[in-house]
Amino acid sequence: MNLFSTFEPSTMIFSLNWMSSLLMILMIPSLYWLIPSRLLMMWILIIKLLHKEFKILIKTNALKGSTIFFTSIFSFILLNNFLGLFPYIFTSSSHLSFSLSLSFPLWLAFMLFGWLKNTTHMFAHLTPQNAPGMLLPLLVIIETTSSLIRPGTLAIRLTANMIAGHLLVTLMSSMGSLLTTTFVTMLILMQILLLILESAVSIIQAYVFSILITLYSSEVS
């Protein structure tokens, strides 16, 4: 057992590690109750707030209903991040194979849609307004490069932030057997504070991922 064994999926094709992404399905039957619970009412309120945020970022009526799609991405990443905080549950969102499978197809779809439907608009994005003529070739290269690395930056941002916190929790917990009672008590308090911080990071990273995807979609319309 090494430090990174928690983040290493099994080499089996039908590994049970990735089944943690499907645990959220267990929460779906509560949606069919006639009278919603407090948890469901709070979740509906969060979805409404996200709908308003995404609607402001899209800035166009051409993509009606797309806020539901971006809200679903937020919910999917958020639940996977939270499930990874529980003991003995595989953190699927800490792997590039998970985050790249979300970011790359979405980025590719937006790029194909933009270049096929709004070619002039996409060319205009490569040359900022009021830019000096001598710098235009350099600016085109920079904008093209920044556009090509977007799926990678999205995936690495999510993966790195999830791995960093989990590694810190693992490092601190591995020292418990070597400490005295007083220091163990301090370690437990620090672990609790760190778990609270990790919960906030889980929410923030899901929000950042969905917001950036929304911004990328608004650029191609």
Side-chain angles (χ1 to χ4, degrees):
M1 296 292 289
N2 56 31
L3 186 61
F4 293 92
S5 60
T6 308
F7 306 101
E8 183 179 358
S10 176
T11 55
M12 296 173 57
I13 298 176
F14 299 102
S15 172
L16 295 178
N17 284 337
W18 294 100
M19 292 296 291
S20 62
S21 300
L22 303 178
L23 289 177
M24 65 188 71
I25 297 178
L26 299 175
M27 306 176 187
I28 292 178
S30 62
L31 303 178
Y32 293 100
W33 288 93
L34 183 63
I35 301 175
S37 62
R38 290 187 178 92
L39 179 62
L40 182 57
M41 292 175 67
M42 182 182 68
W43 188 247
I44 292 174
L45 179 62
I46 294 173
I47 290 176
K48 287 181 179 179
L49 293 175
L50 289 172
H51 168 72
K52 293 179 181 178
E53 290 286 334
F54 295 147
K55 191 174 181 181
I56 294 172
L57 292 174
I58 292 174
K59 299 178 182 178
T60 179
N61 293 325
L63 301 174
K64 290 183 178 179
S66 58
T67 56
I68 300 175
F69 175 71
F70 298 125
T71 306
S72 301
I73 293 176
F74 171 83
S75 306
F76 182 68
I77 298 175
L78 177 65
L79 290 173
N80 276 283
N81 291 346
F82 267 124
L83 286 173
L85 296 176
F86 290 93
Y88 305 108
I89 294 183
F90 177 70
T91 311
S92 56
S93 56
S94 65
H95 279 262
L96 278 175
S97 56
F98 175 89
S99 51
L100 269 179
S101 64
L102 287 176
S103 61
F104 183 75
L106 291 173
W107 171 85
L108 184 61
F110 294 148
M111 288 294 104
L112 290 175
F113 175 81
W115 285 106
L116 293 177
K117 297 294 184 180
N118 300 316
T119 308
T120 306
H121 181 73
M122 295 300 291
F123 272 118
H125 268 291
L126 298 178
T127 55
Q129 293 181 352
N130 302 323
M134 295 179 62
L135 295 178
L136 285 181
L138 180 61
L139 291 175
V140 169
I141 296 174
I142 294 174
E143 289 295 328
T144 304
T145 305
S146 65
S147 179
L148 291 176
I149 65 174
R150 279 177 176 177
T153 55
L154 275 176
I156 292 172
R157 181 186 293 108
L158 176 61
T159 302
N161 280 282
M162 297 310 299
I163 284 181
H166 285 61
L167 280 179
L168 189 57
V169 172
T170 306
L171 284 171
M172 292 178 63
S173 60
S174 63
M175 298 186 301
S177 59
L178 305 175
L179 300 177
T180 60
T181 306
T182 305
F183 287 105
V184 167
T185 305
M186 295 176 59
L187 180 63
I188 292 174
L189 292 176
M190 292 176 65
Q191 288 276 52
I192 292 173
L193 294 176
L194 189 58
L195 284 175
I196 295 173
L197 177 62
E198 277 298 293
S199 302
V201 169
S202 300
I203 300 173
I204 291 171
Q205 291 307 312
Y207 180 75
V208 168
F209 191 97
S210 56
I211 284 291
L212 289 176
I213 285 291
T214 308
L215 288 173
Y216 297 160
S217 68
S218 64
E219 290 182 1
V220 302
S221 59

